[in-house]
Amino acid sequence: GIEAARSKVEAGSVPATSFRWFARYAGWGPGQLQDECNSGVWFTAAASPSIIMQEPQDSDGRDLWHKVLQLMGGDYKELSDNIKRMEVKQREGGSSSSDSQL
């Protein structure tokens, strides 16, 4: 946990940049997260340390989210592609209510 990581950093055996810390809260009731994953609210994916420790190029991590979905392939890649197209339309100012639907 955090204390073990702190000890390793303080001892100089691991650089602090080897860790990524998140400071927000999310909580679920019993079975809620599994139900949300099963219904497609969340996607789970195996990821290498090189992906997990990558610094996002934008402040909200959107680029990293797209990269992971592209690597997952199939329907996940298609979802990412559709959202990218929608984002481009919005940036260009050409979105209408029908354009924003996937």
Side-chain angles (χ1 to χ4, degrees):
I2 292 173
E3 291 306 317
R6 180 191 318 254
S7 296
K8 289 182 180 195
V9 170
E10 288 173 351
S13 61
V14 177
T17 56
S18 293
F19 301 95
R20 181 166 286 180
W21 306 104
F22 299 92
R24 298 241 170 126
Y25 171 79
W28 291 267
Q32 181 182 354
L33 181 57
Q34 185 63 49
D35 290 344
E36 290 179 5
C37 289
N38 292 341
S39 64
V41 174
W42 299 97
F43 306 133
T44 59
S48 68
S50 64
I51 296 289
I52 294 169
M53 299 304 290
Q54 210 173 83
E55 285 296 323
Q57 294 175 0
D58 51 22
S59 62
D60 62 3
R62 184 173 292 158
D63 62 307
L64 191 52
W65 183 85
H66 281 295
K67 182 174 188 167
V68 170
L69 264 64
Q70 293 290 317
L71 290 169
M72 290 170 70
D75 290 341
Y76 301 106
K77 180 184 180 306
E78 186 176 337
L79 173 64
S80 172
D81 291 341
N82 288 337
I83 291 174
K84 281 182 182 180
R85 280 192 291 275
M86 183 181 70
E87 291 170 344
V88 167
K89 286 182 181 181
Q90 288 176 342
R91 279 193 302 272
E92 293 172 348
S95 67
S96 67
S97 60
S98 63
D99 289 338
S100 63
Q101 296 176 352
L102 297 178

